[in-house]
Amino acid sequence: MATQTHPEVDCAVIEAARQRPPLDILTATLRDSSTPTGSKGLQSRWQEGASSPRQDTPWKFETLKSWPAPSSADLRGPDEEMLEELVFCLPLAVALLGPDLRAQATKGVKCGGVLSAPSGNFSSPNFPRLYPYNTECSWLIVVAEGSSVLLTFHAFDLEYHDTCGFDFLEIYNGASGDQGNLLGRFCGRVPPPPFTSSWHVMSVVFHSDKHVASRGFSAGYQKGKGDLAVESVALGGVGRVAGANVCGGVLTGLSGVLVSPEYPNNYPNNAECHWVIRAAGPATVKLVFVDFQMEGSEQCTYDYVAVLGGPGPTQGHHYCGSARPPTLVSLGHELQVVFKSDFNIGGRGFKAYYFSGECQEEYTAVQGNFSSPQYPSPYPNNLRCHWTIRLPPGYRVKVFFLDLELEEPSSLTRTCDFDHLAAFDGASEEAPLLGNWCGHHLPPPVTSSHNQLLIVLRTDRSTTRRGFSVAYIGVVPMNVSCSRTDFQILISAQALAPLERTKVYLGSRSCAAQEMGSNFRIQARFDTCGTESQRRNNTSVIVSVLYIDFSAGGQEDTHEYEVRCEPRRKEASVHLLSGSRWLGPYAATAEHLQEASPRDEAEALEGPVAMVAQDTSDVVFLGLCILAGVLMVVAIVVLMLL
């Protein structure tokens, strides 16, 4: 979208109508608000998808009429500056009308529009008298790029309902067609708190039904500070603070960012901000601090951040100083954050991300699957989502990608600069990066080095796709070796706690594991425990199946691993067979699980028995041969002496 360069032309006076089908045509009229009404204007028809004389818009322009008529000295036709302004306003009208025409005002009721002045006011129809029935109005507020929109309410009186299902006002961080941008829905007589968008566009939708009318609302907006909005656009957050005098608000998006006033500069004295982060339904809210520097005191009585609604005392946790607070998860569907500073000594403040609803989950089951918000429908814009897999100590996490369709890489850098999915080898984004993906090519499975793995989805403010679907399984690290006659398997008992040894067996339950120190051990000859000889790739191998039974509460859940040995080379391997019915296309292929070297596996197992798995048959045989030779030499010497 081009930057508005002529503020005297106000997009608020645009008149638009959209025509469907067979052609997607927009007829727009623009008048210059700096001149007497009707003295200067331009009416044009724009057809979407046709060839365009401008590279920054996909619309074909056709002039219907302009006024005043061009003079003989100026044969260019419509005023070029007004044409530039109409090109700027056109995408706003398209967004306002929308493909479903939802935002058009009710016939006979004049309301809604595009507001592009640096500041202004608007209200419900007939305000302060009763608003009409069956009315829907939409305002699209657009300020200069690089700025934010600050929205405040002067009066508010709508029909009350517990879930605001009758008459309501909706506020969006961007266009109203994307539910991922919804900041909140309001009704009753309590005015909404001030809201600040994360970029230069905000939408407000007013709706009334056919019963009960009230006085309505009156609101004002102004352009916020540009230096604060730019970072928020890149991060995809909502609810940015526009300045020291305005902060806080109700945040209902799936994800966003909170910062102290004036961040990253020092926060002002005597400031107080209240945020309420509210998840939809019974979901929880997660808050992650990425930067924190405030005045310190023993009881945090001067400057502090208080978080209420999480675990701990009902009065909440207070944080100050320079130590970052831990990651906090709400007990219910709401988390409150309070920032307060006193009359002297400040600091840089704080920056934190929040995640709610289907945009943040923690998985502790040994296996599971999850997907992007709204999958397989397109995911929302402006998201930053966290999914944490946290298994018992000793496990590794293996993630399989079942479906992936995100925005394609940048055509310039060929890297994932826009929407992308990332995996981290730990519980935070500070852990080592396992991979970063976009587009539609399925990545190979990834495996953590410990028992935690984090999946992060980040989306920008445009272009959405189907999203992703993944499945994971807890991989049990094991040391498998073989000789010419038997298998030896070692598994850390810690990885399988609280399973009993009888739940781990080779071939049949009669070949259950034995406890040796802190490990489970299975040693079985090839002629026992269901082993069989097979030929694979013209090579003779010995094959058996290792069972780990996680079944509980009547729910069958047994993981099967194929244990394989090539006796001639005494090389062993293990492969996942089942326990993975939800792996889609991966279920048909055996994924190799012994990714670490035998030495690394042995170091991961506790106790001195870790090295029992090595093969000693050749050493014993060689020792016997040497002993026999020595005895023969001794016998010959004795006979010669006699």
Side-chain angles (χ1 to χ4, degrees):
M1 183 183 297
T3 302
Q4 186 175 5
T5 55
H6 304 284
E8 69 274 7
V9 180
D10 191 347
C11 289
V13 299
I14 194 170
E15 298 173 358
R18 200 165 187 174
Q19 176 181 323
R20 292 178 180 268
L23 297 176
D24 196 355
I25 295 176
L26 180 76
T27 303
T29 302
L30 183 68
R31 298 183 180 89
D32 190 341
S33 58
S34 65
T35 60
T37 302
S39 63
K40 186 177 181 181
L42 177 71
Q43 186 180 63
S44 60
R45 178 186 291 120
W46 303 75
Q47 181 175 340
E48 189 173 19
S51 59
S52 169
R54 296 174 52 90
Q55 295 182 352
D56 57 355
T57 175
W59 295 73
K60 181 181 179 181
F61 168 76
E62 178 186 356
T63 301
L64 298 181
K65 64 178 180 178
S66 62
W67 61 95
S71 63
S72 57
D74 184 3
L75 301 178
R76 292 181 302 167
D79 185 277
E80 291 294 336
E81 290 186 357
M82 289 203 70
L83 177 58
E84 289 292 325
E85 291 303 332
L86 190 57
V87 170
F88 167 74
C89 295
L90 177 71
L92 308 185
V94 174
L96 177 64
L97 293 173
D100 57 359
L101 305 181
R102 175 178 182 269
Q104 292 191 59
T106 304
K107 185 176 182 180
V109 177
K110 186 176 182 180
C111 65
V114 181
L115 310 176
S116 64
S119 63
N121 298 288
F122 60 100
S123 60
S124 54
N126 300 333
F127 181 84
R129 297 186 296 275
L130 300 183
Y131 50 76
Y133 301 130
N134 294 323
T135 300
E136 185 152 328
C137 311
S138 180
W139 292 267
L140 189 69
I141 306 170
V142 184
V143 295
E145 288 194 68
S147 302
S148 59
V149 180
L150 171 62
L151 178 67
T152 55
F153 288 85
H154 312 311
F156 195 83
D157 182 7
L158 274 64
E159 178 187 5
Y160 176 77
H161 180 256
D162 288 345
T163 61
C164 295
F166 303 144
D167 300 352
F168 58 81
L169 190 78
E170 289 182 333
I171 304 171
Y172 291 84
N173 180 52
S176 59
D178 189 344
Q179 286 299 310
N181 291 339
L182 180 63
L183 298 177
R185 174 183 282 198
F186 304 92
C187 60
R189 294 187 175 183
V190 179
F195 279 98
T196 305
S197 67
S198 67
W199 57 311
H200 67 296
V201 178
M202 178 180 279
S203 298
V204 179
V205 176
F206 168 73
H207 170 86
S208 67
D209 62 6
K210 60 183 179 180
H211 301 292
V212 185
S214 297
R215 293 175 58 246
F217 74 92
S218 173
Y221 75 92
Q222 63 184 39
K223 182 179 72 172
K225 293 186 177 180
D227 56 338
L228 290 177
V230 171
E231 181 187 17
S232 178
V233 168
L235 296 172
V238 296
R240 291 305 302 270
V241 177
N245 296 325
V246 179
C247 58
V250 178
L251 306 173
T252 60
L254 289 174
S255 65
V257 62
L258 302 181
V259 294
S260 52
E262 307 294 349
Y263 179 87
N265 299 319
N266 285 0
Y267 53 79
N269 295 326
N270 299 315
E272 185 168 347
C273 310
H274 293 254
W275 293 271
V276 177
I277 310 170
R278 188 173 296 151
T284 57
V285 177
K286 181 167 77 170
L287 187 66
V288 179
F289 288 87
V290 294
D291 191 17
F292 196 87
Q293 185 191 56
M294 300 182 64
E295 179 186 4
S297 63
E298 186 174 350
Q299 300 296 327
C300 293
T301 54
Y302 305 134
D303 300 354
Y304 62 83
V305 170
V307 181
L308 299 86
T314 55
Q315 66 268 23
H317 290 271
H318 285 62
Y319 303 97
C320 60
S322 58
R324 271 190 301 172
T327 296
L328 300 170
V329 179
S330 65
L331 294 177
H333 72 287
E334 189 172 287
L335 202 64
Q336 298 183 46
V337 181
V338 178
F339 166 80
K340 194 174 189 333
S341 64
D342 63 3
F343 62 92
N344 65 355
I345 306 179
R348 187 169 62 247
F350 75 91
K351 176 180 176 182
Y353 296 110
Y354 72 85
F355 314 91
S356 69
E358 57 182 331
C359 205
Q360 76 87 20
E361 294 287 349
E362 181 170 313
Y363 300 93
T364 57
V366 177
Q367 65 185 40
N369 56 353
F370 55 90
S371 56
S372 52
Q374 303 178 12
Y375 178 87
S377 299
Y379 49 79
N381 290 319
N382 298 317
L383 285 185
R384 188 188 186 106
C385 299
H386 272 200
W387 294 273
T388 305
I389 306 169
R390 196 187 310 271
L391 301 184
Y395 276 94
R396 295 176 188 165
V397 182
K398 188 157 193 173
V399 175
F400 300 83
F401 296 87
L402 310 181
D403 188 21
L404 182 72
E405 186 180 314
L406 304 178
E407 186 176 359
E408 295 296 328
S410 167
S411 59
L412 297 178
T413 64
R414 306 307 304 168
T415 56
C416 298
D417 298 334
F418 309 126
D419 301 350
H420 62 272
L421 190 70
F424 295 88
D425 192 10
S428 73
E429 295 187 48
E430 297 175 355
L433 181 67
L434 294 175
N436 189 37
W437 308 279
C438 57
H440 60 276
H441 296 294
L442 280 180
V446 294
T447 306
S448 66
S449 60
H450 299 288
N451 64 317
Q452 299 183 95
L453 186 143
L454 174 67
I455 298 289
V456 177
L457 171 68
R458 293 181 63 172
T459 69
D460 59 14
R461 69 189 190 195
S462 64
T463 309
T464 63
R465 296 287 187 265
R466 185 170 65 246
F468 74 89
S469 175
V470 302
Y472 75 89
I473 186 170
V475 175
V476 179
M478 59 186 72
N479 189 0
V480 179
S481 64
C482 66
S483 67
R484 289 191 175 92
T485 59
D486 58 13
F487 279 115
Q488 295 187 65
I489 303 171
L490 282 178
I491 305 175
S492 171
Q494 182 188 33
L496 297 179
L499 288 187
E500 299 176 355
R501 67 173 185 83
T502 56
K503 297 284 190 176
V504 182
Y505 53 93
L506 185 67
S508 66
R509 292 188 182 273
S510 61
C511 293
Q514 302 296 321
E515 290 190 49
M516 296 190 64
S518 59
N519 300 299
F520 289 143
R521 181 191 179 200
I522 297 177
Q523 185 161 3
R525 294 183 58 82
F526 289 160
D527 56 357
T528 61
C529 299
T531 57
E532 60 180 21
S533 178
Q534 299 180 3
R535 289 196 66 82
R536 298 186 181 180
N537 299 324
N538 296 322
T539 302
S540 178
V541 294
I542 304 297
V543 177
S544 188
V545 177
L546 175 69
Y547 297 90
I548 303 178
D549 187 0
F550 294 97
S551 301
Q555 185 72 29
E556 179 70 21
D557 185 15
T558 302
H559 295 191
E560 301 174 7
Y561 299 84
E562 181 186 74
V563 181
R564 188 185 309 168
C565 174
E566 189 176 339
R568 292 183 57 187
R569 304 173 65 178
K570 290 173 288 186
E571 291 183 354
S573 59
V574 57
H575 304 260
L576 177 67
L577 287 181
S578 67
S580 54
R581 292 178 295 275
W582 29 263
L583 292 182
Y586 287 98
T589 60
E591 289 294 334
H592 197 278
L593 298 180
Q594 189 165 304
E595 299 176 1
S597 66
R599 178 180 177 184
D600 294 336
E601 294 287 357
E603 291 175 352
L605 300 173
E606 299 178 3
V609 296
M611 301 309 295
V612 173
Q614 64 185 1
D615 178 28
T616 60
S617 59
D618 286 346
V619 176
V620 173
F621 178 76
L622 184 59
L624 291 175
C625 291
I626 294 174
L627 180 59
V630 170
L631 292 175
M632 185 178 295
V633 171
V634 170
I636 293 173
V637 171
V638 171
L639 289 175
M640 291 179 64
L641 291 177
L642 293 175

